[in-house]
Amino acid sequence: MNRQIKLIWDFRGPAALKTAEHHVKHLNEFIAMEKTELKITGFKEINDMYSIAFMVVAEKEMISVRDLLKPHRGEVYVA
């Protein structure tokens, strides 16, 4: 079974949610250009001052995507 890795970008401050939402647009553009194996992206408000944007990639793509996009952190993705 191929693992999936969730790459995460953290945004803090009063505009965190809007920034995370906008960042997802850029992640989707990257997916379209690079034709990545998976097409899972999203954003989530943790609280009113902290939100995240994320992109799920196949483990075999993780190193190259990580080096290009520089996420703040990552974790194993469980659907």
Side-chain angles (χ1 to χ4, degrees):
M1 180 175 106
N2 295 326
R3 289 194 314 172
Q4 298 175 343
I5 308 298
K6 182 178 183 180
L7 302 176
I8 301 168
W9 291 262
D10 301 296
F11 300 100
R12 290 178 167 73
L17 179 59
K18 286 290 187 188
T19 305
E21 185 178 1
H22 180 77
H23 192 71
V24 169
K25 292 177 185 178
H26 294 293
L27 295 176
N28 288 327
E29 290 170 356
F30 177 84
I31 287 170
M33 278 189 341
E34 299 295 322
K35 297 178 177 58
T36 60
E37 188 174 311
L38 301 173
K39 294 172 177 39
I40 303 169
T41 60
F43 63 94
K44 180 178 179 184
E45 182 178 36
I46 308 302
N47 62 47
D48 62 342
M49 295 291 280
Y50 176 46
S51 295
I52 64 168
F54 63 87
M55 173 183 183
V56 179
V57 298
E59 187 172 30
K60 66 184 178 187
E61 297 176 312
M62 189 273 297
I63 298 292
S64 61
V65 173
R66 179 201 67 191
D67 290 350
L68 286 169
L69 300 182
K70 305 199 181 334
H72 297 126
R73 57 195 172 96
E75 60 188 39
V76 174
Y77 178 70
V78 180

